[in-house]
Amino acid sequence: MKKHWYDYLWIASLSYLILGFVNILFAWLGLICFFLPLAISIGKGTKGYCNRYCGRGQLFSLLGGKFGLSRKKDVPGWMRSRGFRYGFLIFFFAMFFQMLWTTYLVFSGAQDLKQVVTVLWTFRLPWNWAYHGTLFSPGVAQFAFGFYSVMLTSTLLGLATMVLFKPRSWCVYCPMGTMTQLICRARNGAP
C-alpha cells in the first residue's frame, strides 16, 4: 500500500511530547490538534481528522501494532457506551475549563505562574526546567503548562488502553473524537 505524507504524522505527535519536555511553550502547537479536527468536521461533516490525520492514533497503531505492545483485546462495552464517552467528554471539558481559569488568574495577576505539569489531573510534577521566562506574559506559559498537562494525560491514558486493549482503543473515548462525531451528526442531520 502506498504511503502518503499524512501516514507519518505520528512523528509530529511524538515530537510534540518531546518538545514540550524541553520547552513548555511548544505546548501551544497542540492547539492544532484541537482546532483542526473541529474545522474538518464542521467544514466537511466527516471525521477525516480522526481517520486519516491524527498523529496520536497513528502512534498508538505503530506501538501497539507494528511493535506488538498491545494485547489486541476488544474494548469493553462500557467504554464504548454513550454514557461513558459523553461523561468523559464532560469531565475532560471541566478539567480544560479549570485549566483556562488558572490561566486567566495568572494573566490577571491574581495568581503566580505554577511551573508544574499535572498528570491524570492529580499528580503535580515540577517542570521548571522547561521554562526560563520570555518576552511573553506568565499567562502564556501558564496556558502552555496546562495544555501540555492535558495532552500528556490523554496520551498516557491512550497508551494504557493501547496496552490493555487494541492499539487505537483511545479513539473509542477520545474527547475530540466524541466532539467531532457530535458535530458530524448535527451537520448531517443525523439523530
Side-chain angles (χ1 to χ4, degrees), residues 23-177:
N23 186 330
I24 199 64
L25 294 180
F26 282 111
W28 279 84
L29 293 173
L31 288 174
I32 296 168
C33 299
F34 192 82
F35 289 116
L36 194 56
L38 297 176
I40 290 172
S41 62
I42 291 168
K44 293 190 174 199
T46 67
K47 290 185 63 167
Y49 180 86
C50 297
N51 297 330
R52 182 173 286 170
Y53 305 114
C54 181
R56 181 180 297 176
Q58 290 176 8
L59 182 62
F60 294 152
S61 288
L62 182 70
L63 294 174
K66 187 172 184 178
F67 292 112
L69 299 177
S70 172
R71 292 178 44 215
K72 297 180 177 67
K73 302 287 184 190
D74 286 335
V75 176
W78 61 266
M79 198 177 281
R80 289 190 307 267
S81 72
R82 280 187 180 184
F84 179 77
R85 289 183 298 119
Y86 294 157
F88 189 73
L89 176 64
I90 291 167
F91 174 75
F92 205 83
F93 262 122
M95 295 298 103
F96 184 76
F97 287 122
Q98 187 274 332
M99 180 265 302
L100 290 178
W101 176 250
T102 302
T103 300
Y104 165 75
L105 292 176
V106 172
F107 265 115
S108 69
Q111 186 172 302
D112 291 331
L113 172 66
K114 292 183 175 65
Q115 294 186 45
V116 297
V117 168
T118 307
V119 178
L120 298 172
W121 302 286
T122 305
F123 305 104
R124 299 170 60 105
L125 306 175
W127 218 262
N128 52 348
W129 68 83
Y131 180 72
H132 301 291
T134 65
L135 300 173
F136 303 110
S137 159
V140 171
Q142 187 64 59
F143 178 84
F145 280 107
F147 200 74
Y148 190 79
S149 297
V150 168
M151 296 294 276
L152 183 62
T153 292
S154 57
T155 301
L156 292 174
L157 289 173
L159 286 170
T161 54
M162 175 205 72
V163 169
L164 294 172
F165 308 112
K166 290 184 178 177
R168 289 187 69 151
S169 296
W170 163 254
C171 302
V172 170
Y173 65 99
C174 168
M176 290 308 301

Side-chain angles (χ1 to χ4, degrees), residues 4-35:
H4 299 89
W5 64 269
Y6 50 79
D7 292 325
Y8 299 97
L9 289 173
W10 64 269
I11 296 170
S13 191
L14 186 59
S15 297
Y16 174 82
L17 293 170
I18 293 167
L19 289 171
F21 188 81
V22 174
N23 186 330
I24 199 64
L25 294 180
F26 282 111
W28 279 84
L29 293 173
L31 288 174
I32 296 168
C33 299
F34 192 82
F35 289 116

